[in-house]
């Protein structure tokens, strides 16, 4: 029973680790495609980093997130 649970844990860790690289590449591509004018406008308006993330970056990568889910 203990050996079976460690095998399952090993399989889960391997699955997560093998899919992580693909996700990182897709997110990196999604963030690279965000128009820089949005970030420049937010900087001029004095938006905080959190506001920029939640109002610009996160909505821009949401299609990628839904694809990966």
């Amino acid at each position: 029973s203990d050996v079976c649970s460690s095998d399952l844990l090993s399989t889960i860790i391997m699955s997560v680790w093998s899919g992580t690289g693909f996700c990182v590449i897709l997110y990196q591509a999604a963030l690279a495609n965000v128009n820089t004018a949005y970030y420049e406008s937010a900087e001029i308006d004095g938006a905080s980093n959190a506001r920029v993330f939640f109002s610009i970056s996160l909505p821009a990568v949401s299609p990628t997130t839904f694809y990966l889910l």
Side-chain angles (χ1 to χ4, degrees):
S1 173
D2 189 36
V3 173
C4 189
S5 66
S6 66
D7 290 345
L8 180 63
L9 180 63
S10 303
T11 304
I12 291 171
I13 290 172
M14 289 269 304
S15 296
V16 169
W17 184 253
S18 67
T20 301
F22 180 69
C23 293
V24 167
I25 289 171
L26 286 182
Y27 276 122
Q28 189 175 16
L31 284 172
N33 285 327
V34 177
N35 192 347
T36 57
Y38 295 142
Y39 293 115
E40 292 170 1
S41 297
E43 184 179 351
I44 290 170
D45 290 342
S48 66
N49 289 338
R51 176 56 61 193
V52 169
F53 176 74
F54 286 111
S55 296
I56 299 172
S57 301
L58 193 60
V61 300
S62 65
T64 303
T65 302
F66 290 125
Y67 173 75
L68 291 173
L69 291 178

